[in-house]
Amino acid sequence: EGETPARYLTIWQPPILHYKNYINQPAIVRMASFITSQHELANLADPNSTRVPYSTYSISASLAKAVHGWDPDWISEDWHMALKCFLATAGRLNVTPIFLPVLNYSPEGESMVQTLAARWTQAKRHALGFSELVYFHDHLPRILRSVQDRRARIRFLWRTFFLWFKLMMIHL
């Protein structure tokens, strides 16, 4: 009683709004911040969306321990942790929204050019998240073989397809 169902299979994700330095951002960075924030809100509000944690999220210590914690060698630790948890739970992981926004800064420099360069550096780092697909493809066959129940295997494949598609669409 009083427990959240499936809390050990859940990552909680608030919307991340890059508005702390919104006024200081050049117009193009401001527009990117606005679009990113709106995308995050829409994704969290859609009950049918496939969600991937982004930047600031919460996870139970039990789930983190079950997947041996965070791997320091991965730049996109949020996606990597989500994929580790998804695979370790045979696709039963849920990313559940928390509708209490986290305000964040966008990269900022001393001048407009430095701000644009900082945002470009951040975008290149985000693009490295594509390497998560290699990790996903590498571990997928092993996890698929370990799922013995036919219904669980079908559910895993169904959820895997939508997660794979989401990761691909973000990077295309």
Side-chain angles (χ1 to χ4, degrees):
E1 187 175 319
E3 288 192 15
T4 304
R7 69 180 177 183
Y8 300 122
L9 299 173
T10 302
I11 293 176
W12 289 272
Q13 176 68 57
I16 311 296
L17 306 177
H18 303 282
Y19 291 160
K20 275 194 150 182
N21 59 344
Y22 189 75
I23 299 300
N24 299 336
Q25 297 172 13
I28 193 161
V29 176
R30 190 179 305 163
M31 185 58 71
S33 294
F34 178 76
I35 291 169
T36 300
S37 296
Q38 296 309 306
H39 175 266
E40 286 301 310
L41 285 169
N43 189 43
L44 291 174
D46 181 0
N48 299 314
S49 72
T50 299
R51 298 180 186 103
V52 181
Y54 166 60
S55 177
T56 307
Y57 58 93
S58 293
I59 184 172
S60 74
S62 297
L63 183 54
K65 185 178 179 184
V67 298
H68 306 292
W70 288 262
D71 294 333
D73 296 334
W74 291 87
I75 292 174
S76 57
E77 58 78 25
D78 43 11
W79 281 25
H80 187 70
M81 189 58 150
L83 291 179
K84 282 177 66 172
C85 293
F86 180 84
L87 293 169
T89 62
R92 294 178 296 145
L93 175 72
N94 294 308
V95 178
T96 302
I98 300 173
F99 292 105
L100 183 62
V102 171
L103 294 179
N104 199 1
Y105 288 97
S106 282
E108 190 173 9
E110 295 295 321
S111 68
M112 185 177 86
V113 172
Q114 288 177 337
T115 298
L116 291 173
R119 179 61 186 100
W120 177 250
T121 300
Q122 183 185 47
K124 289 189 301 185
R125 191 175 62 250
H126 288 166
L128 292 175
F130 191 79
S131 64
E132 294 298 341
L133 283 164
V134 175
Y135 174 85
F136 195 52
H137 288 157
D138 185 43
H139 289 79
L140 189 60
R142 177 179 54 82
I143 302 301
L144 191 55
R145 283 191 307 271
S146 72
V147 179
Q148 299 299 316
D149 179 58
R150 186 173 185 267
R151 288 183 112 193
R153 183 180 284 215
I154 290 169
R155 184 182 69 233
F156 175 66
L157 286 171
W158 179 258
R159 294 193 75 198
T160 295
F161 170 75
F162 286 104
L163 180 57
W164 176 85
F165 187 77
K166 170 89 173 185
L167 297 177
M168 286 297 291
M169 290 299 100
I170 288 173
H171 286 290
L172 288 181

